Amino acid sequence: MKRIWIQIDTVILFILLFSLLIISCKRSVREDLILIEQGKKHFFESEYMEALKHFEKSAQINPRNDVAKAYVGFCYYHIDEAGTAILQFNKSLQLNPSNNIALFGKSLVLWEMEDFLSAYILFDSVTKINPNHDKAFYYRSLAELQFGDTLSAQKSLLQAITNAPEYAENYYLQASLYLKNGKAEKADSVLKIAHKCKNELLKSP
């Protein structure tokens, strides 16, 4: 009889411990996601050091959170620490090879390092994973121009404008292509759109 009670006590203890573990995990997951949202508020206000604190804490709470690590990488990218940024982007991609934040961030670092081919491959991957990405098509267009593929660059740029009609950079690049092809009037009309977009951006709070 004693043995039966010992077995029952052991089962109950196991269930209690397992329940506490589940509750603890849920709380941790919730906390790391809340920290990401808090970090994003600072990030999109260009407060990168403050955002970094939240993202790093999120990654510490949940080491398997690939989004937190991707944002950590982007914070380091914006404070000009390219080596650390690449390291964090790679950590994110080890957890999730399709993490578009990390893929795009890593491609930007490679682009600035003038590793244009590697950057292009990643930009292209981003556009395939997310055909509505707001900036990847613009950079893919730049890379295609770098390789002398003007036709593909024009197609990528048109998609960039479709995805993000508010970005002045898209129109400046389009105007330069028109000028290159001797279409000054078209270039001029596109430049007007670019200036308008830029002014709208400056007016926004």
Side-chain angles (χ1 to χ4, degrees), residues 38-87:
Q38 291 171 342
K40 282 162 73 173
K41 288 177 184 176
H42 292 289
F43 183 84
F44 292 116
E45 291 292 328
S46 302
E47 299 167 351
Y48 301 117
M49 292 306 295
E50 193 62 35
L52 184 60
K53 294 175 188 175
H54 290 83
F55 295 137
E56 285 186 326
K57 191 173 179 182
S58 175
Q60 186 179 11
I61 290 168
N62 182 3
R64 297 200 59 78
N65 191 323
D66 58 293
V67 175
K69 291 180 189 296
Y71 273 113
V72 168
F74 248 114
C75 287
Y76 280 112
Y77 166 75
H78 282 294
I79 60 175
D80 297 322
E81 292 192 28
T84 308
I86 283 275
L87 181 66

Side-chain angles (χ1 to χ4, degrees), residues 120 140-141 143-155:
Y120 169 77
R140 193 175 80 173
S141 179
E144 286 160 345
L145 286 172
Q146 184 76 25
F147 305 141
D149 188 353
T150 306
L151 186 61
S152 294
Q154 287 172 336
K155 288 180 181 177

